[in-house]
Amino acid sequence: MNLLLASSEIHPYSKSGGLGDMVGAMARAMASEGQQVAVVTPLYRGIRERFSELKKSDWPMRQLLGSQVVEASVWMLEANPKLTFYFIDQPEFYDRAGLYQENGADYPDNAERFIFFSKCVTQLARDLPAKPDVVHVHDWQAGLVPLFIYHLRERAGWGNAPRSCLTIHNLAYQGMFSRAHYDLTNLPLDYFHPDGAEFYGGLNCLKAGITFADAITTVSPRYAREITTEAFGCGLDGVLRRRQHLLSGILNGVDYGEWDPANDTLLPQAYSLENLEGKRACKLALQRELGLPEDADIPLFSNITRLVEQKGVDIQLGALEEMLAAEMQFVLLGSGSPVFARAYQNLAERFPTKVVVRVGFDHTLSHRIEAASDFYLMPSLFEPCGLNQMYSLRYGTIPIVRLTGGLDDSVIDIAEDEDRANGIKFNEHSVAALSKEIRKALVLFAHSDLMQHFRKNAMTADFSWKRTTAEYLKVYETALQLRPAK
Ligand code: ADP
């Protein structure tokens, strides 16, 4: 099958969170299973410098954006004969310090930046030599693509247009802009109504995708159920219920080529279930690096996260306050809200021998933290899929997670299945509930045989991409059968 994937971030070229990881891994997995894969993404600052294999194509990109003509060029990187990356080079839009924001504030022209990107994706879908059967777009930044394709197919004579698939990685981010921004789409006004791209008087890019895509997926089965309810629907639950027949939940896979302690070149020492000595060495090395007391017998908790309310960093702060009297250590690597960053830094100042906080985005440190930790905290308010709990499992780092979305789908608590237990789950979103789970973890840590049982189950859990790609291929097949291609 010929696929075109479109995403505003793709690891290893750009990443702000799980979206980049997922699309990068999906592209490689689909290609290695024999699909012909093209991927399109913006050319952000620094990509060309870090990846010298990029070549400029002579493909011109000219888009009407409202009343302006905006030009771009396309850079290409052929990773292998089955996988080509296309980068949209529009320096005014993408040559910036951040992907979407700086200092916690969104760029004011994000509508222009990503409506333009969506138009470039649509043009690429028409121009690619291997014409895509399916254009698979991710999140609101590419959310208008299904509408553009629909429009060209139904009203502008693009008879053999590809099918479109939208994956929702986080319903809380919808790309909502004012009515005036709809003009940037250059579409007729008759898509701008409550059954189209309009949402409370403004433009909603994700809603446009949900309404016009031929298939809709999200990143875990439980989240697929949750988002059709008012509590998790972020105002779009009604639209999602109407489109439920096209909606499926597919748990993300893990790229074990990158996240496997046996082959992780970013670790001071590799390790595996059969040889856990390396994990101990990683822990001592991280304690040394971060200036914590070096002692393998002190339980080490960690969290690598965007500092936003969704991630439960507020209740985590409260629970740590409550629990830090115990013998334990905690490491946070996070970026996002300056208010949360300050609060965590305060905690570190008050508990200098127990807490280390690193504010910023640091890919290599994130690997070292995963390997070094005994427990990984993920007390999210909601979590579409979550990747770090699955990385943690493979690294023998026991995840402590709230019972929501992909966290519930990927972690097994002892109450659910004693034999297969690999983590700790809790339900109530409160400081008291999380403190209780940290207390449980301390008990678990003190019982090395039980800890070993959890570690074994964790490290042998398998979330490889094979299952995930098979499920997506089924979704594509169904979309292709929706209507015979004209
Ligand atoms: P989300 O996409 O909601 O941020 P996920 O758990 O799906 O959450 O994915 C987060 C990804 O981003 C993981 O790979 C995680 O390690 C990474 N990440 C998040 N914050 C940081 C950070 N400050 N430094 C390095 N990596 C980070």
Side-chain angles (χ1 to χ4, degrees):
M1 199 178 286
N2 292 345
L3 300 175
L4 173 60
L5 310 185
S7 170
S8 58
E9 55 185 88
I10 290 164
H11 181 69
Y13 310 107
S14 54
K15 164 172 163 178
S16 79
L19 169 66
D21 275 356
M22 187 277 192
V23 185
M26 174 181 218
R28 286 186 290 277
M30 284 289 185
S32 70
E33 283 174 29
Q35 314 304 330
Q36 189 68 46
V37 184
V39 190
V40 52
T41 192
L43 184 76
Y44 296 110
R45 179 175 297 173
I47 296 180
R48 215 165 18 213
E49 290 70 26
R50 284 187 294 124
F51 296 90
S52 55
E53 320 89 276
L54 258 73
K55 300 241 174 338
K56 190 170 180 175
S57 78
D58 46 17
W59 228 324
M61 279 275 163
R62 285 181 106 231
Q63 308 297 348
L64 202 54
L65 199 60
S67 56
Q68 272 190 307
V69 174
V70 181
E71 299 194 354
S73 49
V74 181
W75 289 68
M76 291 169 59
L77 190 157
E78 195 183 294
N80 64 56
K82 289 281 179 194
L83 177 60
T84 306
F85 293 91
Y86 295 89
F87 298 87
I88 306 298
D89 182 17
Q90 212 307 319
E92 270 176 52
F93 283 160
Y94 307 128
D95 184 9
R96 300 188 184 180
L99 303 191
Y100 316 119
Q101 49 169 247
E102 265 172 63
N103 305 321
D106 284 347
Y107 289 126
D109 59 350
N110 274 347
E112 284 85 345
R113 299 172 76 222
F114 292 107
I115 293 173
F116 177 76
F117 174 62
S118 298
K119 290 189 171 192
C120 292
V121 174
T122 310
Q123 185 181 328
L124 210 62
R126 300 194 84 161
D127 295 351
L128 277 180
K131 184 190 154 307
D133 300 297
V134 174
V135 177
H136 185 169
V137 305
H138 297 264
D139 275 354
W140 75 263
Q141 292 89 345
L144 285 168
V145 174
L147 170 55
F148 289 139
I149 293 179
Y150 175 89
H151 173 72
L152 291 170
R153 180 173 67 209
E154 302 297 323
R155 308 248 197 115
W158 189 9
N160 61 350
R163 298 292 161 217
S164 62
C165 173
L166 167 75
T167 293
I168 302 167
H169 293 256
N170 193 333
L171 191 64
Y173 300 92
Q174 299 178 3
M176 281 190 272
F177 303 102
S178 72
R179 155 73 186 80
H181 287 106
Y182 182 76
D183 295 344
L184 299 174
T185 66
N186 300 89
L187 288 168
L189 250 190
D190 45 3
Y191 295 113
F192 194 74
H193 56 75
D195 289 330
E198 189 257 359
F199 188 65
Y200 293 102
L203 166 66
N204 185 319
C205 298
L206 192 67
K207 183 180 173 190
I210 295 170
T211 306
F212 292 99
D214 298 307
I216 308 162
T217 72
T218 187
V219 287
S220 69
R222 178 165 171 154
Y223 193 60
R225 296 191 297 276
E226 287 173 343
I227 57 178
T228 59
T229 66
E230 205 180 327
F232 289 88
C234 304
L236 292 180
D237 45 296
V239 184
L240 283 160
R241 280 195 299 275
R242 276 203 298 285
R243 306 276 289 161
Q244 202 159 10
H245 57 291
L246 298 176
L247 171 67
S248 46
I250 302 175
L251 197 71
N252 285 343
V254 170
D255 184 350
Y256 289 124
E258 165 145 17
W259 291 96
D260 180 358
N263 305 303
D264 189 337
T265 52
L266 299 173
L267 304 185
Q269 199 170 316
Y271 66 92
S272 62
L273 182 58
E274 291 68 42
N275 175 16
L276 279 168
E277 193 40 46
K279 184 165 176 69
R280 186 186 149 90
C282 289
K283 178 172 176 179
L284 293 172
L286 188 79
Q287 288 171 325
R288 193 173 326 123
E289 175 187 343
L290 300 181
L292 287 168
E294 282 172 56
D295 186 344
D297 293 333
I298 301 176
L300 175 60
F301 294 72
S302 66
N303 186 202
I304 303 159
T305 188
R306 290 185 293 120
L307 292 171
V308 291
E309 214 165 290
Q310 178 209 329
K311 298 293 182 182
V313 288
D314 49 351
I315 64 165
Q316 180 172 266
L317 202 57
L320 288 167
E321 286 274 0
E322 213 167 297
M323 293 306 302
L324 278 167
E327 188 170 52
M328 61 180 279
Q329 296 174 343
F330 172 73
V331 174
L332 176 93
L333 170 62
S335 60
S337 148
V339 176
F340 282 132
R342 192 63 237 142
Y344 275 96
Q345 277 161 339
N346 278 340
L347 192 74
E349 280 157 23
R350 287 177 27 239
F351 295 92
T353 58
K354 294 189 167 182
V355 177
V356 171
V357 172
R358 286 280 185 272
V359 174
F361 198 93
D362 187 335
H363 181 65
T364 57
L365 179 58
S366 75
H367 280 245
R368 294 198 298 280
I369 293 176
E370 277 292 2
S373 308
D374 300 297
F375 298 98
Y376 188 89
L377 297 172
M378 217 157 162
S380 308
L381 195 54
F382 66 95
E383 193 60 75
C385 176
L387 289 171
N388 279 106
Q389 82 282 10
M390 294 193 275
Y391 300 157
S392 297
L393 289 170
R394 182 49 62 107
Y395 282 68
T397 300
I398 306 306
I400 301 174
V401 303
R402 245 202 94 231
L403 209 120
T404 184
L407 299 177
D408 190 26
D409 288 334
S410 55
V411 174
I412 304 170
D413 189 271
I414 199 157
E416 282 172 284
D417 188 333
E418 213 175 310
D419 288 342
R420 292 167 58 230
N422 58 19
I424 296 175
K425 283 185 192 174
F426 67 105
N427 190 21
E428 192 184 289
H429 181 75
S430 73
V431 168
L434 179 56
S435 300
K436 190 171 154 204
E437 304 313 313
I438 294 177
R439 233 170 268 131
K440 266 194 212 164
L442 295 175
V443 173
L444 180 60
F445 190 78
H447 291 82
S448 55
D449 49 338
L450 201 53
M451 191 74 186
Q452 184 55 22
H453 174 69
F454 272 64
R455 273 217 167 110
K456 175 170 168 289
N457 287 338
M459 294 180 80
T460 51
D462 186 2
F463 298 100
S464 49
W465 262 93
K466 215 165 177 49
R467 172 197 46 82
T468 309
T469 49
E471 289 189 49
Y472 274 104
L473 286 169
K474 250 189 262 159
V475 168
Y476 300 157
E477 293 290 355
T478 309
L480 285 168
Q481 283 156 17
L482 264 188
R483 261 166 290 173
K486 287 179 207 157

